[in-house]
Every structure is written in structure tokens, then in C-alpha cells.
Amino acid sequence: MSLLEELKRRNVVRVGFAYTVISWLLAQVAEFAFEAFGAPEWALKTLIIVLLLGLPLVLIFAWAFEMTPEGLKLEKDVNRDQSITPQTGKKLERVTIAGLVLVIVVIIAERYVSAPAPVDDSNAVATQQQAVADVGIDDKSIAVLPFVSMTASQEDEFFADGLSEELLNVLAKIDGLKVAGRTSAFYYKGKNEDLRQIAESLGVAHILEGSVRRSGNQIRVTAQLIKADDGFHLWSNTYDRADGN
């Protein structure tokens, strides 16, 4: 068995992905909390350094130990026939996906909900708000279109739909953000229509769309935030993870 295969079998790769996502979320929460409580700038930098130094330690721990029904044990003491690493890997994948959903939500919230309007550009802001009011669309509104599965696998299509629904449900909980309903958004599943027309039909100012692509045992999730009135991308990102055995 190659080193890479052994790393996957022991869930070291999955642990690394999960730790990275969770660390990013912790840093975002800490930045908000430290600013609210007036903490010095070095406090956040120290936390980030600790999180970075923790990654190799976590990977070493994942390599040396294994979770069993009886608790943590040294990997060398666990019978391969009784190993539950596949089940543990599935749980780690769910944690990672949930973390990725939160990452996308945090980025969107920072850009379109929490960010204050520029004080020195009041005329431009007023013009934009008036334009939005004229067409009856709230600028703080969004629709999550069904993520597209780039493979023919029924399982990947279910995964893409589930990810879309999870994003929609989480965004709907953000105060001040209007989110188009699932039935309305999923009406456009598989329909190759102009995003500006879709946004106008749904009455939203922004569209979140994406895709799920599988290559071997790797899954790539791509997400894109689009401003509906001009069709230009405001933000996009790609997330890769290893699939379960």
C-alpha cells in the first residue's frame, strides 16, 4: 500500500481538510469577537499562528491514533478487520461539507449584510438604491440555484441538490437577507436561461450557483456569486476534498 493510500485509509487527509475549514471559521469568529471587545491586534495574530502550528500536530495525531468503539487507540493496536475508519471518514466528510457551507455563508454575509455603506460615496449609494427601488428588487436579496452535477452519477446529483438546499436554508436565517424559496429556485434546475432573466423572475439582486465534479476519488465543489443586473461575478471559489471509500 502506497503512502498516499495509507494516509487516506487512516483519514489523515480528511482530518486535514476538516481542520483547515474549522480553523478558518474560528479565525473569522475570533476576528469579530476581538474587534467587539477591543482586543489588541496581536491577539488575533497569535491565534492564527497557534492554529497553523496545530495543523501538523493534528495530522500526526490522526496518523498515530484511530477512533474505535472503545475509544481512541494506537493505530498499530487496532485489528484491520475491526477498523471503523470508513465510518469515521464519512463523519469527517459531513463535518467538512458543513464547514464549507458556513464558509460560503460567512463570505456572503460579510459582503452584503454586515458591510456598512461607504460614507464618502453617498451619492453613488443613493443612486444604486434608487435604481433597485425602481425595479422593485431589494439589493439584499439572493436566489440559490440548484448546483449542477457534472457527472452522470445519481448519487452526485443528490449531493449537489442537498448542498444547494443546505446553502438556501442557512442563508434564509441571515437577518436582513431575502432568499428566494426552494420551489421557485429549483424550477430552473437543468434550464439554460439567462441569469438576469432568472433573477428578475425570482425578484432577487444576486444569484448563487455552482457545480459538483467528481474525478476519481476527488470531489470538486465550485460556487459563484453573480450580480444579476450586469451578470458579472462578484465572488467565486473552488473546494476540493477526497471522497469516502
Side-chain angles (χ1 to χ4, degrees), residues 75-239:
E75 197 279 336
K76 63 181 182 180
D77 296 333
V78 178
N79 189 323
R80 291 285 181 91
D81 295 333
Q82 299 177 351
S83 175
I84 61 170
T85 51
Q87 295 90 320
T88 304
K90 291 292 185 181
K91 294 178 181 179
L92 287 170
E93 289 172 4
R94 287 194 289 269
V95 170
T96 303
I97 292 299
L100 291 176
V101 169
L102 290 175
V103 167
I104 295 174
V105 170
V106 168
I107 292 174
I108 293 175
E110 284 182 345
R111 286 175 176 267
Y112 302 106
V113 178
S114 302
V119 176
D120 58 347
D121 198 18
S122 57
N123 291 335
V125 172
T127 301
Q128 180 181 5
Q129 290 177 342
Q130 183 61 44
V132 172
D134 290 341
V135 299
I137 297 178
D138 193 330
D139 189 48
K140 294 181 179 179
S141 57
I142 189 171
V144 181
L145 297 186
F147 276 42
V148 178
S149 173
M150 306 300 289
T151 64
S153 169
Q154 190 73 25
E155 181 180 350
D156 287 346
E157 183 175 355
F158 289 151
F159 173 77
D161 288 347
L163 181 59
S164 306
E165 290 191 38
E166 187 66 24
L167 281 168
L168 190 153
N169 291 334
V170 175
L171 289 173
K173 297 178 182 178
I174 298 179
D175 187 31
L177 182 64
K178 296 181 179 180
V179 183
R182 178 194 181 282
T183 302
S184 300
F186 270 66
Y187 170 79
Y188 293 97
K189 179 178 179 179
K191 297 184 178 181
N192 189 22
E193 297 189 20
D194 187 274
L195 289 179
R196 287 172 289 189
Q197 294 179 358
I198 294 177
E200 182 178 356
S201 174
L202 296 175
V204 296
H206 302 89
I207 293 288
L208 179 65
E209 65 171 2
S211 63
V212 175
R213 183 190 304 271
R214 181 187 299 274
S215 178
N217 67 338
Q218 294 289 322
I219 289 182
R220 168 167 290 186
V221 177
T222 301
Q224 306 169 95
L225 183 65
I226 299 169
K227 198 172 190 302
D229 59 359
D230 56 20
F232 286 107
H233 286 70
L234 295 172
W235 166 87
S236 66
N237 211 340
T238 299
Y239 306 94

Side-chain angles (χ1 to χ4, degrees), residues 47-89:
L47 175 62
I48 294 175
I49 292 174
V50 170
L51 291 174
L52 291 174
L53 293 176
L55 178 58
L57 297 177
V58 167
L59 295 179
I60 293 173
F61 186 87
W63 173 268
F65 291 88
E66 181 176 327
M67 179 64 70
T68 70
E70 293 78 28
L72 279 176
K73 290 185 178 181
L74 285 170
E75 197 279 336
K76 63 181 182 180
D77 296 333
V78 178
N79 189 323
R80 291 285 181 91
D81 295 333
Q82 299 177 351
S83 175
I84 61 170
T85 51
Q87 295 90 320
T88 304

